[in-house]
Structures are given as C-alpha cells and as structure tokens.
Amino acid sequence: MRGWAFAAAGVALSVASAQAADPAPFELGGPGLKIMVTRGQETLPIAQVPSLAEGDKLAVRADLPEDQGAKYLLMSTFLRGATNPPPKDWIKAAESWKKKARDNSLALTVPKGARQMTLFMVPETGGAAGTITDAVRGKPGEFIRATQELNQASLDRSRLDAFMAAIRAQENTHPEFLRSVAPALARSLSMKLNEECLSKVVELQASCLLENRETLVLADVHSSSIAETLTGAPTDLALQLSSTREAGYGFYSPYIGVVRDLAKIFGAFSNPEFDYLPTLTIRRDDSASLLLNKAPSFKKPKSVLVIGMPAIEADSPPRLRSAADGPICAARPGIVLPVEGAPLIYSTAYARNMKLALTAASGETVELPVDARADRGGYVVRSGDPLPAAFKGTVKGHLYGHWGFDRFEGPDFTLQLPGDAAWKVAGDEPALVAGRDNILTLTGEAPACVEGVTLRQGDGPAQSLGWKVQGTDTLALTLPLGERRPGDIRVEIKYQGIPTPSVLSLKAYAQASRLDALSLHAGDHVAQLSGQRLDQVASVELAGMTFEPGGLLRDGSVDRLQLATKGEAAPLKAGDQATARVRLKDGRTVNLSMTVDQARPRVTLLNKSITPGTVRDGRPLIVSGADLLPDDGRLVFSVRADAGAQLRADDVLEVAPADGGKAVRLGSGTGLRLSGPDVAVASLDSVALAPSAGPLRFRLVRGGEASDWQPLVTLARLPHIEGVECEAADCTIRGRDLFLIDAVAAAPGFEKPVTVAQGFTGSSLSVPVPGDGKLYIRLRDARDAPVILETKVAG
C-alpha cells in the first residue's frame, strides 16, 4: 500500500528514504510555458482547463526571456496506460530557440485513447529526443504516475498560494480584520487554521498563521478525484491519516499529503546523460510558470524538467453546496452566496463566467455576475444597476457558469428584497396580556432583510426585541409585557437600507389570575393547575404537602402549570375531595376545591434479555449484559403491574429514546403478551427504533393515562467488522461504519485507548495488540458498556 505524507511549503513532490533529509521546497522560479487549448469552436487558456479531452488542440510554446542562454528542446508525450507504451508519433519535439513558430512551438491534437499528457523541457543535447522517447515508451506507467502527482500537487499549491496571498493582503491593509477573515479563508480553501494565532497581538497574527506551511493544506476530495491514482479510485487519505496518533492525536486534522515519491520514480529511468526534475505549475491565463525544488544542471547529467498536464478525462465539476441556513437578504450591494465543497473555485480559474440567475414571482428573470471570494466564504454579487420592480419579496436564485469548456450548475438560493407590503399578525389577532410574555407571529415580505424590531408604548423608550425568521414570510417574536401596563402598544419592523420602519399597532389587555382546576392522580407526586396568569403562582398546599411550580404551558387561552412535590405522595385516595391553598407571588392566597382522580397505571420492570443479531459476513462483536441492545438485536422484557393491580388486554407499552424521540407502541398482536393477570412480556426488534440510538425508556399507556417513564436499555449502533489482523507491534481492524467507535483498548480498563476521530470515514484502524486475545471497543452510543472483539477465531 502506498504511503502518504505532506512535503514542505508548496507541496514538495519527492520523498527520500527514511535515512535521507527532507525534500527541498518548491521555491525556485523556473522557465514558463504559454499554452492555449481549443475544443470545437472555443479556445481557452490553460488556467481555465481542468481536464483535456480527445480531439482537443493545444498550442504550446516556451516562454523564455530574450537573452535566454540555455537552449531547451520542448517535448510532449501522450500516454495511454501503464502497460501500453505510446506510439512514437504521440511524442513530439520543438526547438524553442528557433525563430519560426512552426519550429519553436508544438501544435498538438489529443489522440484517441490517450489518458495523460506530459511536457518536457530538455537542455539541447544530441540525441535528446530519442533518449526521452525511449524512456517514455520504456516505462510509461512511471510517467503516468508522475504526471498525476505533479498535476495534483500543483492544485494543492494553488490553494496554499491563495491562502497566503489573502493573509498577507490583510496584513498589509487591515491586519485587525485577520481575526474574522482567517477562519473564513481556512474554511473556503480547506486550510488548517491555528486558532491560537488569532489571540496574539495584531502585528504577530499573520506571521503566526503562515508558519509550518507544510501542514496547512487539508484534503480536498474533488481535486483528489481529478488525479486518479494508478490503482483506481483515490482513497480518502486525509481521513485515513487522521485515525493515527501521529496525525493529530485523535483530533480531526487530516493534512493532505500525498507521499509523491517522484525521486524514486525518476530514478528508475535516469541515466548518465539526463536527470529528471519534477516541477509545479502556477497557471494564470495562458501562462504556466514552473517552480523547482532544486536548481537545474546544464552539465551531465543534464536536468530534464517534467511538467504534469491536466488528465485526459471527462470534466468532473465539484458539487457546490449552499451553506445558507435560510433566505438571504439582497437589499444591500455585495451580498454573499455562501457555498462549500469546492476549494478550487477560489484558487483556480476553472470555474468561469459565473452568474446568478434570479427569477421573480412574476416569472421575470435577470442575471447578475458574481465573483468567488474565499475571504467571504462564497460568491459575491457584483454591484450594478438596481433590479426591476418585480424583484420584491422572495426571489429564486440559481448559480451557474462554466467549468472549463462545460456548463457548470451550482446550487439554488432563496433571496429576499423588501417591498411595500405591510406586516400583519398571522391568523387571528392574539389577546395580548399585560404582565406576562406573549408569543407573536407576524407575516410579511422579506423577513431575512429585517434589521431590527422594537416595542413602544406611549411616549416611553423603545425596547429592542429579538426575532426568528421562519420560512420565507414569517417572523416569530416574544413580546416582553411583564412590566407593561394595559393599553396600546406599537411593534416597529425596520428593513435593511430603508429608514422608515413598518408600524404594527396592537393592544395589551389586563387579566387577573384565574384558577380553573387542580388535577391530581392518587399516589402521584405531580399535579397540574389550569387557568390564566398562572405565572403568578408561588406554591400550592394540599393535604400537608407543598407543590412547587414547574413548567408553564399555554394551550390556546388557557395556562397549564405543572406542579411537583418532594417526599411521599399525598395520603389521598381516588374520589377523595380536598381543598388546595394556592399562594400567589403578590402574597395573596386562593382556595380551590378538587377531587382526586384515579391512580395512573404503574408497572415495574421484572426482567430483560437481549439476543444479538447474526453476523453473516464478518467478525462478531461480543455484547455482554442485558443493558446494551445492538441495532440488529432483539429485546425481550417483562413488567408487573404495581400494588396488586391487573393488566388489561388493551394496555400498551411505549418504548422511546430518552431524548424524546418517536415511541414504538407494543400492544396485543404487536409484540406484547400477557403471561398472567399482572405480568406482561414484550418483544421488540431494535430496527423498529431506527435511526435512534442511546438510552431507551418505557411506560404503560392505558386509554388517556400513562405511567411515568422508566429506564430500559441503551440502544447502540454497531460497526461492521470484516476482519482483524495482528502483528508483533499492532493490530489492524478492517470494516465499515468505524465512525461508530469512540475508542479501542487492549484491556477492559481502557488505560491506553486509541480514540477514533469524529467524522472518521476510513475502513481500517490501527490498534494495540491485546494481551488476552481480546480487543475492547467503546461505542459512541454506549460509552459505559464496551463490547469485545476477539482477535483470533476460536478453533
């Protein structure tokens, strides 16, 4: 398996042996090339071409100074496979020092069957063309691999250069902005950001951010896919690296770094006459400037500069995703369309002529040019003429352009612009009550463009309010009327860029506390008080117990106050009549008569057992105890009715996640059977609870009443282990869904666990060798109940 790592300052491409020194960075400026590509009737500079295609026509010439002393032979070759040498007529040469264009440049057509293209700049030497031709045709696979790596490394270098240029631009103009700009740049370009740098004084932030450049570039799945490796589809090397302790100690810090062992590759076909030097290309317009990691030699062995060209394959544009969490306000110039998933849109010119197509509700359309801005986290709409009058309220937007020669479709956006329509109360006008907070829902145009909401009453000062945008036309507000008197109030909604706010006149009404009823079940520690203005209730005394207020719910015009007491339940039986004393916060007390309701159903958990699922094509995980339910397992548990009560045929057991997820109902014919008058046995397949995970709870439901929730088991998702291999130093676990593992240890005490990074998507883990032949796995869904993986198959 090929090793992968990162080289210094610009993605160095050659890796020497373990005993040799680190490779030099690519910081030496070399010669340049001028390259244009024509496909059909359209011609593009090389900087705008992510990949070549059969039939493309290329014009290539050396870009050398007038006083160039060394003469370079410019050569090109097309490659078609590691085991299929190219024909001789696929290899062309031009003498760059000649005056006539037909002699000093290359006019090429990508032949049918070609998959890669490589350029060479060879110092003038007798027989050089033949030597290079023999090397290419002798070992085509090595040149294919080298070309892929050089092209990939140049893309990585483009992102690093873009990041460094943006940081230095801020340092020179507005260094105080680095604190906000640097994180945006890092997200846009997939760079590693040292957060500690932003806590330094302004003058030191930029230099700190650009330290250790060899660890700045993170994985970009799209650009990796452009340079497929010789063995097939590219592996997600970044996440593979993040699972090792050497790469971040368990944190998500996957550095890019493809160990590009070109020194070894080129050594295979170097000879006393020629030594091969890898180059990075910095592509701008039709120029391809070369960067070298060591000075070329013009004495034997002379240095042959190797230039990787884009692959010859179908274009694979990135899948741009919208990063907007709701409608975007387009009321002011320079709006940002946040996108994610494509660092190369910021560091290359592959995405070109990008536009935002807007469609109004009337069907009228307009197109606006946009520019990719890494420091803004997306595409910025260029300022221009005002939009037509039809573009008000909610407008649909679509981002598109070209990726190389092909059309490039981006994501859709919802944009909003304020119009003249007034804000209204959603539904019937609410009965706002002074002395309490009130929920208010408003509808109107462009809620995303709301800049501020204030509350006014009479000549008093304005009070700023918070709000939430819901959907495309709704604002949700909470009116703090706790200290307000009854009377007229005004809610003012101000749009961005519009000085005059929209005013909504409402009325707050006075309402005294009203106590309707107190509900208490026999034997309960909780009760419910219904009425109005129950936020004024301080406590309730009943039968020697004191109930304290809990949560307050509003059901239409009725308040429902939850009450709870500590200690033993009230000594009252069903049907008993009693008088409760309700104490209000202002010191008053109110008596309220009530009748004790029938006791709620209650059950006790008797027993439980778990049957794990059958592993068909992998290694089983041993689940011990009766408190961990695998996601492919089956749970059987029994309950008994309390206090001599009997269970009924229409009783239902509900099993639900402890965090309030959807419950599974078990009844007669659906997993629940009575084994006696007061005992029931329930059966449940864990798949019925998918995709939930974590602690489960259960309760008995009878008619409209339900018992208290009780803990049951913990539902845990299990990874699929395909195999485990151990050597003297470590073991390797192979499988799927390994992100479900939190840690792996060689001993049950987890003294020195190997932790798995959040978001891990690799298919193998390196773990210590256990002493007892068992690995102990702690799952993310059940950290207190480890499972066991045996490293040796019994028998």
Side-chain angles (χ1 to χ4, degrees):
M1 181 176 179
R2 258 171 72 184
W4 302 82
F6 192 31
V11 195
L13 297 183
S14 48
V15 175
S17 65
Q19 292 79 17
D22 291 338
F26 283 73
E27 293 181 343
L28 296 177
L33 299 170
K34 293 286 187 178
I35 307 174
M36 298 293 291
V37 182
T38 300
R39 184 174 300 173
Q41 300 299 315
E42 189 173 11
T43 299
L44 294 179
I46 187 61
Q48 296 181 3
V49 181
S51 61
L52 301 173
E54 293 180 2
D56 282 356
K57 297 183 182 302
L58 290 89
V60 185
R61 66 178 178 84
D63 186 16
L64 302 173
E66 292 289 339
D67 58 352
Q68 173 70 25
K71 294 182 179 180
Y72 275 107
L73 183 68
L74 177 61
M75 294 189 65
S76 69
T77 180
F78 293 103
L79 302 161
R80 60 186 177 184
T83 59
N84 193 2
K88 289 185 178 181
D89 61 358
W90 282 19
I91 304 174
K92 304 291 185 182
E95 298 171 328
S96 65
W97 61 90
K98 294 294 182 68
K99 296 297 182 182
K100 294 183 179 181
R102 66 183 183 183
D103 299 325
N104 65 16
S105 60
L106 297 172
L108 308 170
T109 299
V110 178
K112 183 177 180 180
R115 291 295 175 264
Q116 298 287 340
M117 178 182 177
T118 308
L119 295 175
F120 303 93
M121 294 190 73
V122 187
E124 181 193 14
T125 305
T131 302
I132 302 299
T133 299
D134 292 342
V136 171
R137 300 187 73 244
K139 295 187 176 182
E142 303 293 356
F143 283 98
I144 290 176
R145 183 180 176 191
T147 300
Q148 292 168 339
E149 305 289 21
L150 289 171
N151 190 49
Q152 173 66 52
S154 296
L155 295 176
D156 292 344
R157 174 62 183 248
S158 73
R159 291 192 285 133
L160 178 62
D161 287 348
F163 179 75
M164 294 172 63
I167 291 294
R168 286 170 175 158
Q170 291 294 333
E171 178 188 23
N172 295 333
T173 56
H174 300 285
E176 68 277 8
F177 291 167
L178 275 178
R179 192 181 303 274
S180 59
V181 171
L185 285 170
R187 287 191 301 270
S188 299
L189 292 163
S190 291
M191 310 299 292
K192 178 175 179 284
L193 182 67
N194 185 353
E195 300 283 355
E196 295 181 358
C197 293
L198 301 180
S199 62
K200 297 180 179 293
V201 296
V202 169
E203 293 76 11
L204 299 180
Q205 289 177 7
S207 59
C208 176
L209 288 169
L210 299 180
E211 289 178 351
N212 301 319
R213 289 180 292 171
E214 66 274 11
T215 65
L216 289 179
V217 185
L218 296 181
D220 168 26
V221 174
H222 170 257
S223 68
S224 296
S225 71
I226 293 179
E228 289 191 345
T229 62
L230 211 58
T231 57
T235 306
D236 192 341
L237 307 167
L239 291 180
Q240 208 176 68
L241 187 61
S242 70
S243 67
T244 65
R245 286 170 292 182
E246 292 76 14
Y249 297 91
F251 295 102
Y252 185 78
S253 57
Y255 306 146
I256 275 214
V258 187
V259 167
R260 301 182 169 97
D261 48 353
L262 295 185
K264 178 180 178 181
I265 295 173
F266 289 150
F269 44 77
S270 293
N271 57 57
E273 283 195 63
F274 294 113
D275 185 20
Y276 293 83
L277 292 186
T279 68
L280 296 188
T281 56
I282 306 300
R283 301 165 192 170
R284 292 185 178 88
D285 297 326
D286 64 341
S287 296
S289 302
L290 305 186
L291 289 178
L292 314 176
N293 67 343
K294 69 175 183 179
S297 171
F298 297 96
K299 295 182 178 180
K300 291 186 179 182
K302 296 182 179 181
S303 296
V304 177
L305 306 185
V306 184
I307 302 105
M309 292 289 285
I312 304 169
E313 60 185 6
D315 274 343
S316 178
R319 294 183 180 180
L320 274 183
R321 302 182 300 273
S322 169
D325 56 3
I328 300 172
C329 180
R332 290 180 174 172
I335 62 170
V336 178
L337 306 175
V339 296
E340 57 187 20
L344 291 184
I345 67 172
Y346 304 106
S347 64
T348 71
Y350 293 162
R352 60 187 183 87
N353 297 335
M354 297 298 292
K355 296 179 181 179
L356 175 67
L358 295 180
T359 303
S362 63
E364 185 176 348
T365 61
V366 67
E367 292 185 343
L368 304 175
V370 296
D371 297 307
R373 288 281 300 273
D375 58 335
R376 303 288 296 278
Y379 280 95
V380 176
V381 180
R382 296 181 200 168
S383 301
D385 297 333
L387 292 173
F391 289 85
K392 301 295 181 185
T394 299
V395 177
K396 298 299 181 182
H398 177 68
L399 189 65
Y400 80 97
H402 284 83
W403 183 264
F405 288 96
D406 298 332
R407 184 178 171 91
F408 179 32
E409 301 294 344
D412 294 326
F413 296 90
T414 299
L415 294 92
Q416 294 187 334
L417 296 100
D420 301 326
W423 284 89
K424 299 179 181 179
V425 175
D428 297 332
E429 185 168 336
L432 303 177
V433 178
R436 60 185 294 174
D437 290 347
N438 292 256
I439 302 299
L440 183 64
T441 303
L442 305 178
T443 60
E445 287 183 332
C449 293
V450 171
E451 186 176 58
V453 180
T454 57
L455 174 65
R456 294 181 184 271
Q457 186 174 38
D459 297 329
Q463 181 179 359
S464 296
L465 303 181
W467 73 92
K468 289 184 178 179
V469 176
Q470 295 180 346
T472 59
D473 64 350
T474 303
L475 283 183
L477 312 172
T478 298
L479 299 183
L481 303 181
E483 304 298 327
R484 299 280 180 174
R485 64 184 183 276
D488 294 332
I489 60 174
R490 302 189 307 277
V491 177
E492 299 178 352
I493 301 99
K494 184 181 182 304
Y495 280 125
Q496 298 179 22
I498 299 179
T500 304
S502 175
V503 179
L504 187 63
S505 297
L506 302 169
K507 189 171 184 178
Y509 298 90
Q511 182 175 330
S513 296
R514 189 188 78 199
L515 307 178
D516 294 338
L518 179 66
S519 174
L520 174 69
H521 293 275
D524 264 5
H525 295 78
V526 294
Q528 185 181 85
L529 182 64
S530 60
Q532 289 186 341
R533 290 211 66 191
L534 299 186
D535 55 330
Q536 298 300 309
V537 174
S539 64
V540 176
E541 296 175 2
L542 176 66
M545 296 185 305
T546 300
F547 289 82
E548 301 292 339
L552 178 63
L553 303 175
R554 185 168 180 82
D555 184 8
S557 60
V558 177
D559 288 349
R560 301 190 186 279
L561 180 64
Q562 305 300 317
L563 302 165
T565 185
K566 297 181 180 179
E568 297 182 355
L572 298 171
K573 301 185 297 296
D576 285 352
Q577 295 184 346
T579 299
R581 181 178 291 273
V582 182
R583 294 188 179 276
L584 303 179
K585 293 180 179 179
D586 60 4
R588 293 178 297 166
T589 61
V590 180
N591 292 334
L592 182 64
S593 298
M594 55 87 63
T595 300
V596 179
D597 297 326
Q598 292 289 335
R600 292 188 296 147
R602 290 182 174 85
V603 291
T604 301
L605 182 64
L606 285 181
N607 202 354
K608 57 188 176 183
S609 61
I610 292 173
T611 304
T614 301
V615 178
R616 299 181 181 274
D617 57 348
R619 299 287 293 276
L621 292 172
I622 301 174
V623 179
S624 60
D627 291 319
L628 180 63
L629 174 62
D631 59 350
D632 62 349
R634 181 175 179 82
L635 169 67
V636 179
F637 65 100
S638 58
V639 298
R640 183 193 298 277
D642 288 358
Q646 292 189 347
L647 296 173
R648 303 191 324 210
D650 61 345
D651 285 343
V652 172
L653 281 176
E654 285 189 345
V655 178
D659 61 3
K662 185 178 179 181
V664 175
R665 294 173 61 88
L666 305 175
S668 177
T670 57
L672 183 66
R673 301 181 65 183
L674 297 179
S675 69
D678 61 343
V679 176
V681 178
S683 301
L684 173 66
D685 290 325
S686 59
V687 294
L689 290 158
S692 299
L696 301 179
R697 57 183 182 173
F698 78 98
R699 69 177 180 180
L700 179 68
V701 178
R702 176 177 294 168
E705 300 293 339
S707 67
D708 292 330
W709 286 106
Q710 300 182 55
L712 184 56
V713 295
T714 297
L715 175 62
R717 298 165 295 171
L718 299 183
H720 182 84
I721 306 301
E722 296 174 349
V724 56
E725 300 173 356
C726 292
E727 299 178 355
D730 58 13
C731 291
T732 299
I733 297 175
R734 294 179 290 100
R736 303 189 303 272
D737 298 335
L738 301 184
F739 61 86
L740 297 174
I741 299 176
D742 177 64
V744 182
F750 280 80
E751 288 81 7
K752 295 181 178 180
V754 173
T755 58
V756 180
Q758 288 280 1
F760 175 69
T761 60
S763 60
S764 64
L765 289 172
S766 179
V767 298
V769 175
D772 57 356
K774 298 177 181 178
L775 288 170
Y776 298 84
I777 298 176
R778 186 168 64 209
L779 303 173
R780 295 193 185 279
D781 297 335
R783 298 174 187 266
D784 297 327
V787 297
I788 299 173
L789 171 63
E790 294 185 346
T791 58
K792 296 182 180 179
V793 179

